[in-house]
Amino acid sequence: MVTDLPVAARTDLSQGGRWTSLRAGEREWLWHRPDPARTGVLPGDAFVDAGGLEECIPTVRGTPDHGDAWSRPWRREGDTDIVQCPDFELRRRVVGGPAALRAVYELHAEPGYRFLWAAHALLDVTPDARLAAPEATTTRLFPEAAELLAQPWPAGAHHITGPWPAPHGLRLDRLGPDDGTAVGSVLTGCASVTVLDGPDTLSMSLHTDADVPVSVALWRNLRGFPAPTPYRSIGVEPMLGSVFDLAEAGPGDAATVPAGGTLRWTLEMTATSTRTPTDPT
């Protein structure tokens, strides 16, 4: 029997507002990689991959590395988490409930400000896990995929596109087993995906009334990154935008703050399981 589960989160405001737990029933969904360097980061530092879910804004790749919010302390006002960055203020309110967890965001910046945002969620999933998304979703591949393709990478191309789940013949919906590869992709125009792993599912979806691109980024690192000591990490990342690097964003590839100076969106997470609940006795 499939059971809908409440989803609960914990965050660490002192460490960039990082989500440290995403729990549904008996399962912890977030992967962690302890790194003592994470506690000492300063704005502008290279990204320290400690797992969890990082708020990446105004870019993911590029400068500053993984954005400007993950390396700054956040503060709490009432039920709202706030980070102040040089060009914007980001507000986040995380609300749990019996059916879903919702993170409600507000970005305050000058009208016309362009940015990318990603909920950079690194998930603890088995090699049998799969990512379900609408068939034939236009999916962008980036240059690290070049060596995995049958055809040469086009000269000067920031990305190439193909239909999900196998753009240009590269099957991406399978999240294992580890094969020594690492590839990033963006499922453009995709507002919702589901991770299926044994008896458990985790669904993520984005909602906004703003006229901005909504996508899901996939970072499928099957012990192919970084050299010389690669590890396994699986990122499923709902995002505003359709590229990893703001500097490479063409027309329509980034979110733009509207005339009022505020842009709002909501990230919703739901979970199910067919597990038999553990007897509390």
Side-chain angles (χ1 to χ4, degrees), residues 155-170:
H158 293 310
H159 60 263
I160 58 176
T161 63
W164 179 266
H168 294 273
L170 179 59

Side-chain angles (χ1 to χ4, degrees), residues 5-277:
L5 300 173
V7 182
R10 292 198 307 269
T11 60
D12 185 345
L13 299 186
S14 68
Q15 296 295 309
R18 177 171 167 260
W19 300 46
T20 57
S21 177
L22 184 66
R23 194 166 189 87
E26 300 177 7
R27 176 159 187 162
E28 173 58 56
W29 278 96
L30 293 183
W31 169 86
H32 297 279
R33 177 180 170 269
D35 189 327
R38 181 66 180 84
T39 61
V41 296
L42 297 172
D45 283 355
F47 184 62
V48 178
D49 187 4
L53 186 158
E54 304 276 13
E55 303 282 358
C56 293
I57 184 172
T59 191
V60 183
R61 298 179 182 176
T63 304
D65 188 11
H66 283 67
D68 207 23
W70 73 272
S71 59
R72 296 175 183 271
W74 294 41
R75 70 182 190 275
R76 172 67 60 84
E77 291 185 4
D79 61 356
T80 302
D81 305 330
I82 302 170
V83 63
Q84 189 70 50
C85 294
D87 297 323
F88 62 87
E89 178 183 271
L90 179 64
R91 293 174 167 254
R92 177 189 69 193
R93 182 166 53 89
V94 180
V95 182
L101 180 143
R102 294 179 178 85
V104 182
Y105 293 86
E106 283 189 2
L107 181 79
H108 300 272
E110 288 294 320
Y113 179 69
R114 297 177 79 236
F115 70 96
L116 308 173
W117 165 85
H120 187 275
L122 294 173
L123 302 182
D124 186 4
V125 293
T126 72
D128 295 324
R130 295 182 295 111
L131 183 65
E135 193 79 11
T137 293
T138 298
T139 302
R140 291 181 170 180
L141 297 175
F142 295 83
E144 69 268 16
E147 63 184 30
L148 305 177
L149 304 180
Q151 71 272 27
W153 188 265
H158 293 310
H159 60 263
I160 58 176
T161 63
W164 179 266
H168 294 273
L170 179 59
R171 189 74 182 264
L172 292 176
D173 59 329
R174 298 168 180 167
L175 304 181
D178 296 349
D179 60 8
T181 66
V183 62
S185 61
V186 175
L187 287 73
T188 65
C190 182
S192 182
V193 294
T194 298
V195 179
L196 304 98
D197 193 11
D200 305 317
T201 74
L202 177 69
S203 296
M204 304 179 179
S205 59
L206 276 182
H207 309 276
T208 180
D209 292 331
D211 183 18
V212 296
V214 173
S215 306
V216 175
L218 171 65
W219 169 242
R220 195 184 68 173
N221 175 21
L222 304 177
R223 296 191 184 276
F225 176 89
T229 55
Y231 51 83
R232 171 184 170 87
S233 59
I234 304 297
V236 179
E237 309 170 23
M239 68 184 301
L240 301 183
S242 52
V243 292
F244 286 112
D245 189 342
L246 183 61
E248 297 177 358
D253 286 343
T256 302
V257 174
T262 300
L263 196 148
R264 299 179 177 87
W265 67 95
T266 299
L267 170 63
E268 181 176 279
M269 300 185 185
T270 59
T272 69
S273 182
T274 58
R275 296 175 186 267
T276 302

